[in-house]
Amino acid sequence: MATFSIHSYPFSFNLQILIFLFFTAKPISSFALQNNPHFDPYISLFGDARVENRSSNVILTRSHAPSSGLLLLDKPFKFVGEPVSFSTEFTFSLSPGNADGLALVFVPNGFQTRFTSQGSFGLFGENMYLGIEFDTKKDDKVGDFNANHIGIDINSLESIKVSNLSSSSMVLNNGEPLKSWVDYDSSSKLLQVRLSTFDSKRPFSPILTYSIDLLEMWGTKDVFVGIISTSINGSSFSNVYSWRFRVRPVLNSMHSLPANPHKDSDGFRTGKNKFCALTFLAGLIFGTGCGALFAFVVLFMWAILVSRHSVFPVECQVSPEEFRYEMVDVVVEKDNQFDKN
């Protein structure tokens, strides 16, 4: 009988092991945030992005120069079909230094394989993308007017609309944690950006708005969403402390309703029905309680009034008396005048 020895095929055997591990093992970067409650479970880290030991935040850039890191949602989505809206919120901080800042990007498939060599925010050379940049570098080549602004980029690093944060007394790269909300409503085709300090509530008014039809822009293409930061000299760091992203399919019958960034359309509809049912039940219980209380008060007052006007018989004990008859002498005096007559 012929025998087979793995020692005679060391290279092919090792190659088979590597191929097996490649196709069966999950990327290491996907494990980093899998159990972190502050991040969506399906996020991968690329480039210099990493999670430090005993830390819940992601550091996107390193001390060497240049440096770039990317957080990318593993699952893409499409704008085609039913109208799609989205909402995302994330917290971050940017340290002082000569860095580009941070950007929320909507990019096509394959961006994660080429962003490290594509300059600011990894977008130089990309033909199709949407970027919301939190820019801390003044670049005259793309028309930046200062190093502290939020801009909306569409297929170009020259922002199509900008909000100057210096006028609102906010500084992007002072190392303080900030929180941003980005919402898109497909019915109004309106993109809104909000920004506040970490401990503040969601602002009512957006700091930047722009009207755009993302369905017309992306068509049937898959859209990937990421957060990216780049640094040219390694003297600054970008941290992300939390990130949540939600896609909300919008039904045709709900186009006139305002976008709710905390619930999708089905959740909004179900929640509304539950709210009506609970409201009716609460009203019924409250009405029953009020009726019972009113009836009790009426009966109590009626009992008081009746007790005041009622006459109750009083029992008297009659003791027997002894009776006797006595003879009484009656003297009748005659009238003197009558006797004279």
Side-chain angles (χ1 to χ4, degrees), residues 80-234:
V80 73
E82 293 183 352
V84 172
S85 301
F86 65 79
S87 295
T88 185
E89 61 180 75
F90 54 94
T91 55
F92 65 96
S93 67
L94 303 173
S95 65
N98 191 7
D100 296 318
L102 177 144
L104 175 73
V105 293
F106 296 79
V107 290
N109 189 20
F111 175 78
Q112 64 272 23
T113 63
R114 54 181 180 267
F115 76 94
T116 55
S117 60
Q118 295 189 147
S120 296
F121 304 123
L123 297 174
F124 186 78
E126 289 291 321
N127 296 322
M128 178 176 291
Y129 62 87
L130 167 66
I132 294 91
E133 63 175 33
F134 300 81
D135 203 342
T136 58
K137 178 184 176 183
K138 186 177 184 299
D139 190 350
D140 295 331
K141 295 180 181 180
V142 294
D144 291 342
F145 59 89
N146 68 6
N148 189 43
H149 65 271
I150 298 178
I152 296 177
D153 303 339
I154 300 177
N155 304 333
S156 172
L157 288 175
E158 185 173 354
S159 300
I160 197 169
K161 194 169 184 180
V162 177
S163 175
N164 182 12
L165 296 180
S166 299
S167 60
S168 60
S169 302
M170 298 187 69
V171 180
L172 287 173
N173 62 343
N174 62 358
E176 296 295 327
L178 300 173
K179 189 170 185 177
S180 179
W181 295 261
V182 179
D183 306 296
Y184 176 72
D185 181 22
S186 61
S187 59
S188 61
K189 297 178 176 60
L190 189 64
L191 181 68
Q192 298 181 338
V193 182
R194 290 172 170 83
L195 183 69
S196 73
T197 56
F198 178 75
D199 55 352
S200 299
K201 295 182 179 180
R202 172 188 168 96
F204 178 78
S205 300
I207 198 169
L208 186 62
T209 60
Y210 184 69
S211 181
I212 181 175
D213 189 349
L214 293 181
L215 173 59
E216 181 180 354
M217 175 181 175
W218 289 99
T220 60
K221 294 182 176 65
D222 287 333
V223 182
F224 287 83
V225 188
I227 296 178
I228 187 172
S229 180
T230 54
S231 176
I232 62 174
N233 63 2

Side-chain angles (χ1 to χ4, degrees), residues 38-82:
H38 303 293
F39 290 85
D40 282 333
Y42 303 104
I43 297 179
S44 293
L45 282 63
F46 295 93
D48 294 330
R50 81 274 188 194
V51 178
E52 293 287 356
N53 294 332
R54 299 180 181 179
S55 176
S56 60
N57 61 293
V58 177
I59 302 177
L60 292 178
T61 54
R62 297 181 182 267
S63 58
H64 62 75
S67 178
S68 57
L70 172 67
L71 283 172
L72 191 71
L73 288 174
D74 295 336
K75 296 183 178 181
F77 70 97
K78 297 177 182 290
F79 285 99
V80 73
E82 293 183 352

Side-chain angles (χ1 to χ4, degrees), residues 325-331:
Y325 294 93
E326 295 182 355
M327 295 297 295
V328 180
D329 294 336
V330 180
V331 179

Side-chain angles (χ1 to χ4, degrees), residues 253-309:
S253 59
M254 298 180 64
H255 279 190
S256 60
L257 296 176
N260 185 343
H262 302 292
K263 297 180 180 179
D264 57 20
S265 58
D266 293 334
F268 178 83
R269 181 177 58 183
T270 304
K272 186 176 180 180
N273 293 336
K274 291 181 179 179
F275 176 79
C276 294
L278 290 176
T279 302
F280 174 78
L281 182 59
L284 181 62
I285 295 175
F286 180 79
T288 304
C290 290
L293 181 61
F294 178 78
F296 175 80
V297 172
V298 171
L299 291 175
F300 182 77
M301 297 301 296
W302 178 81
I304 293 175
L305 293 175
V306 170
S307 64
R308 288 184 177 181
H309 294 282

